[in-house]
Amino acid sequence: MKNTNRQKPPRIGRTAQVLLAGVGMLLTAATLLTVSLLGFAETRATLTEVRLAGALAAARLVQADLDRALGYGVPLDALPGVNDYLKNLRDRLPDLRFFAVIGAGGQRLHQSGIEAARLDELLTRRPPSPPASGMPAAGPPIRFDAGPFALVGVPLRDGGGTVLAAVEPGEITAALTEDMWAVWPFWVGCLLLPLAWTAAVARGAVTEPLARLRIAMEAAGAGTFDRLLVRRARDPIGQCLLNFNAAAAGLHARRRAAIAQTEDVFHAVFDPEVAAAAAAARDAALADLGAGLAQAPARFRDPRASDADLFAVTLAAAGILGLAQTLETANAAAAVGAAIETLSTGPAGVIAILTTAAPALTLLPAALAALLAGLGLGWRIGWRRTLTIPAAALLLAAGPGVAHLPSGNLDSMLLTLLPGAISAGAVGLAWSLAVRQRKDSGAAGGLRGGLWVMLAGSLAGAAFAWGLSDAPPIQGLGVAVLAALALAAAPTAPMRPE
Amino acid sequence: MPSLGLTARLIAVLVAAVLFAGAAAIGLWTQDHTQRREAALRAQVHLVLQDLASALETRLAIGLPLAQLPDVDRLLDAARLQLPDARALTVLDDRGHAIFSTDPLEVGDPLLDAASVGDQAGGGRIGERDALFWRPAFSDDGAIAGAALLRLPAETSNEGVTTFALALTVRMAPALAVLCALAALLGYGLARHVGRPLTGAATALAELERHPTAPPAPPDRAEALSGLPLTEFAAALRVRHQRLAQVEDELGRCDEMA
């Protein structure tokens, strides 16, 4: 018995999908925002310290040179070319905002990267200098914040003054904001995947069970009581299914009781006319009840369209992410372009490009073959645990391989091919399972629904790949995490055909 | 495998979304921090190496070969103070062999190939144990005399990344817990909202099973929201139960006439 469901989903199903998707998006966005705010603060604090360490190193270089001059008896305020020297040093350290050399009395002597008036204003916030500690300058560095700047200072010999170097933490915030906006595809991927998950869960938890029940009740309304609905926990929908089963089974039981009662009458009566009347009453009643009650109801296990969605979406995302990383590492695009160009240069050029670009040029057909193999396997076998669990486990094992791909040379061909082929195979499998399950279930929307699942998972994976293109270790971790999530959804597949 | 109920499924998917988003964002921020930290560290390293190379070139100008320059160890010690995390600072000859070093054990060892020493722009290389950075030093006639080399332990960078990731995760943990609790609460509320009309439908079906021949009730909101044809189903059940009741009566009369 096929459960062909081509009607519009019920209102409560549509409500569940919209509300769940909306709540899911809000929570995901809130999480991303919270992590980003904390990440901003943590990165700014950490990088400020790193930049201050660099500023301190630069300040010590200046300190060493000025101490030498002071050791020769040259007064600081009479030292020529100090500003140019400071500018030169500042140009070599782009994180540094300005340098300043302060005299023993706290007066400004030299500066680079800041106007004199501004520096004077900042110096009013400087803590008191430590006492002179003899030669050479051995006092600890001072650290203070003044306005938008974080400063470090090192003392010059014999209390001759202080060298100050400053960084600007606010610059880190501006750079971070710009960079985080630049990876907007990553944020889109982070929203797209949970959106696909909530759609699959709402469909599987509400829309499809209700559709199944509606079809059974419509069949019963037409006189066919041939199915008992199964596979559901005791939630409100489960209670509906259970009570439907009880009503249908109760009707069948009463019909059987009527037949048994007729047999009892046959054994009890002596008058053949009475027996014939009882048989006629029974036959007339059975005819009125119709053929829809003739056979005992069977437990109805139907393939559900959304069964494979969670797995397919997540596996497609993981596979696309892994495939994108292997193609990027093997420099596939450049290799194809170079190969096309060298075709016109003759055999020597072709041999040269084949040798240098062998991993990339081998990866592309291998990935295509694996993709087709995944498509074929998924279509042929369908939604089965024997396929889903090994596929997800294989991609989970390949995840770290994506992180540590060697950059293209002949020796590393296999190491590049294997994660790429596994990723491409996983993508093909995910795509075919999404469509095949919809075909098997006769779902409303048919293949179109499966294509949406393919698109959602693939787009999410592509978005992650784009956003994390400079970070192979994070991409490898992403592949492993998504494959693990797919593996968690894999055992929901049946072992045997339904 | 036992099927999860509606509430459990909704809560599970919302909590999974929160945890996934949190993990993904922490991963991205860790990656960004790694890149910035390495850039800042590299700039600091090259500043120190540039200064060291300039100091060597100043001494080379007096005409002595690199291996005979005076006071190089003091230069290396002073440069080492700028980068306390460095494993060693070394001066290499033009073949890449160490001739001066803050680590006496590596004097004489080949630390870099000659071609890399000759790289006029200097370079950096990440090895398994150490990260290597170097800058060439030129003699007066423009020839490469050698290079200043710095070795930074790989753990220095990794440690910073791990510390950042852990710090962000720890700081995020209370907020994640709150968000997961919120997800659970919203999932529970959503399940109740979706389940309410369905509970009405389940009650109606239970009544049908108990009293199949009862008079028909008017269609209610549960039927409209759930899309279930409760009225038609109840009518089909009622008609058949009434017919069975009729034949039971007839069989009863036949039994009495026996």
Side-chain angles (χ1 to χ4, degrees):
Chain A
M1 17 176 152
K2 192 99 171 179
N3 200 17
T4 305
N5 174 18
R6 299 200 178 271
Q7 289 196 11
K8 235 169 119 181
R11 260 177 66 189
I12 197 65
R14 295 197 302 275
T15 304
Q17 283 187 319
V18 167
L19 283 179
L20 188 61
V23 168
M25 290 301 96
L26 278 174
L27 284 170
T28 305
T31 308
L32 295 175
L33 188 64
T34 310
V35 173
S36 295
L37 288 173
L38 289 174
F40 256 108
E42 197 68 33
T43 303
R44 184 180 152 133
T46 313
L47 284 184
T48 299
E49 293 308 311
V50 171
R51 288 185 177 193
L52 277 175
L56 182 60
R60 289 204 188 280
L61 289 175
V62 176
Q63 177 199 49
D65 289 338
L66 293 183
D67 278 349
R68 201 175 305 120
L70 286 171
Y72 291 142
V74 179
L76 269 185
D77 53 358
L79 209 51
V82 175
N83 287 354
D84 290 335
Y85 162 73
L86 293 177
K87 181 181 179 311
N88 189 346
L89 197 55
R90 200 168 54 83
D91 289 343
R92 286 153 56 191
L93 205 56
D95 294 339
L96 206 61
R97 281 299 101 218
F98 67 82
F99 272 120
V101 179
I102 314 301
Q107 72 280 25
R108 168 178 43 83
L109 296 178
H110 307 280
Q111 80 277 351
S112 173
I114 188 170
E115 289 175 2
R118 181 80 170 113
L119 179 61
D120 290 337
E121 189 261 327
L122 291 174
L123 287 179
T124 59
R125 308 182 204 190
R126 185 171 68 106
S129 301
S133 54
M135 60 172 284
I142 57 173
R143 160 94 168 87
F144 65 100
D145 295 326
F149 301 106
L151 293 99
V152 285
V154 289
L156 295 171
R157 59 183 290 166
D158 301 331
T162 311
V163 177
L164 294 176
V167 297
E168 191 173 0
E171 205 176 54
I172 300 172
T173 307
L176 282 174
T177 309
E178 198 180 313
D179 285 353
M180 284 302 133
W181 279 117
V183 294
W184 63 266
F186 176 82
W187 306 119
V188 167
C190 284
L191 289 171
L192 194 55
L193 210 50
L195 179 65
W197 290 341
T198 52
V201 167
R203 195 187 170 102
V206 181
T207 310
E208 284 177 354
L210 282 181
R212 190 175 311 119
L213 180 57
R214 180 181 49 73
I215 289 169
M217 289 173 77
E218 283 173 354
T224 306
F225 292 80
D226 62 349
R227 62 189 69 180
L228 297 176
L229 303 174
V230 295
R231 291 166 60 194
R232 184 70 193 202
R234 297 288 182 98
D235 54 14
I237 296 175
Q239 282 297 331
C240 286
L241 302 182
L242 197 68
N243 293 344
F244 168 83
N245 289 348
L251 184 61
H252 276 276
R254 197 171 185 183
R255 179 182 177 278
R256 284 195 303 274
I259 294 171
Q261 190 181 5
T262 311
E263 294 298 316
D264 291 343
V265 169
F266 282 161
H267 289 117
V269 303
F270 295 102
D271 186 345
E273 285 182 8
V274 172
R282 178 201 64 191
D283 293 343
L286 291 182
D288 288 342
L289 288 174
L293 278 167
Q295 289 186 340
R299 290 162 70 86
F300 182 57
R301 291 180 181 279
D302 59 322
R304 294 175 297 187
S306 67
D307 278 355
D309 283 0
L310 267 181
F311 176 81
V313 154
T314 314
L315 193 72
I320 290 284
L321 181 56
L323 184 59
Q325 174 55 25
T326 50
L327 288 174
E328 191 185 328
T329 305
N331 214 7
V336 168
I340 292 170
E341 280 179 21
T342 54
L343 280 176
S344 57
T345 63
V350 172
I351 290 169
I353 197 68
L354 283 177
T355 309
T356 55
L361 295 177
T362 321
L363 175 62
L364 288 170
L368 186 61
L371 180 79
L372 292 172
L375 282 169
L377 258 183
W379 191 260
R380 178 119 176 94
I381 298 178
W383 177 235
R384 299 284 175 270
R385 220 177 289 171
T386 45
L387 184 61
T388 59
I389 295 178
L394 204 57
L395 189 58
L396 177 60
V402 166
H404 296 101
L405 288 169
S407 49
N409 59 56
L410 209 56
D411 296 338
S412 61
M413 201 188 309
L414 190 60
L415 293 172
T416 312
L417 274 182
L418 211 50
I422 291 172
S423 300
V427 171
L429 181 69
W431 288 355
S432 62
L433 282 179
V435 177
R436 165 81 194 258
Q437 188 65 11
R438 281 214 163 41
K439 175 181 166 296
D440 286 349
S441 68
L447 299 185
R448 201 174 62 237
L451 291 174
W452 277 116
V453 170
M454 284 166 51
L455 194 63
S458 306
L459 276 180
F464 289 135
W466 187 357
L468 297 174
S469 56
D470 294 332
I474 305 292
Q475 282 194 324
L477 190 61
V479 173
V481 166
L482 288 172
L485 289 172
L487 189 61
T492 55
M495 280 296 288
R496 292 184 203 81
E498 291 183 321
Chain B
M1 192 171 166
S3 170
L4 289 178
L6 179 65
T7 307
R9 290 189 202 203
L10 298 192
I11 291 175
V13 74
L14 290 176
V15 169
V18 167
L19 292 176
F20 173 75
I26 288 174
L28 181 72
W29 277 100
T30 304
Q31 173 235 331
D32 182 81
H33 170 83
T34 305
Q35 288 176 336
R36 289 181 197 282
R37 193 170 187 279
E38 282 177 1
L41 200 61
R42 208 170 291 124
Q44 191 184 344
V45 161
H46 280 291
L47 181 73
V48 170
L49 286 176
Q50 217 169 22
D51 200 67
L52 181 58
S54 297
L56 290 173
E57 286 168 358
T58 305
R59 283 159 173 73
L60 284 168
I62 63 179
L64 286 175
L66 188 64
Q68 294 175 17
L69 290 181
D71 226 15
V72 174
D73 288 321
R74 192 186 60 78
L75 272 182
L76 290 178
D77 290 338
R80 180 79 189 276
L81 287 176
Q82 313 306 324
L83 281 167
D85 290 333
R87 199 189 292 285
L89 264 160
T90 311
V91 174
L92 309 177
D93 62 14
D94 56 354
R95 291 173 304 125
H97 289 71
I99 47 178
F100 301 98
S101 181
T102 54
D103 180 2
L105 293 175
E106 63 181 27
V107 172
D109 290 344
L111 298 183
L112 214 58
D113 52 286
S116 296
V117 174
D119 188 346
Q120 301 220 345
R125 188 185 294 166
I126 310 294
E128 277 185 18
R129 256 182 89 226
D130 293 335
L132 291 174
F133 301 93
W134 65 92
R135 190 153 186 100
F138 298 90
S139 53
D140 248 5
D141 56 4
I144 291 183
L149 179 91
L150 183 144
R151 283 195 297 127
L152 210 59
E155 304 96 66
T156 307
S157 184
N158 293 343
E159 204 178 288
V161 171
T162 311
T163 307
F164 177 84
L166 279 175
L168 188 57
T169 306
V170 165
R171 287 185 67 178
M172 187 58 202
L176 264 182
V178 167
L179 285 165
C180 285
L182 185 62
L185 201 63
L186 288 171
Y188 178 75
L190 196 57
R192 278 181 65 97
H193 176 77
V194 168
R196 203 170 297 122
L198 297 173
T199 303
T203 306
L205 284 169
E207 273 304 303
L208 269 177
E209 195 267 328
R210 279 195 292 270
H211 308 289
T213 54
D220 62 0
R221 200 162 172 267
E223 185 166 347
L225 286 175
S226 63
L228 296 173
L230 287 167
T231 307
E232 286 81 4
F233 178 67
L237 263 187
R238 190 180 325 108
V239 158
R240 282 155 183 82
H241 273 285
Q242 283 170 345
R243 187 67 183 90
L244 283 168
Q246 209 175 16
V247 78
E248 283 162 5
D249 287 341
E250 288 176 24
L251 291 172
R253 279 195 296 277
C254 290
D255 199 19
E256 283 168 9
M257 289 191 307

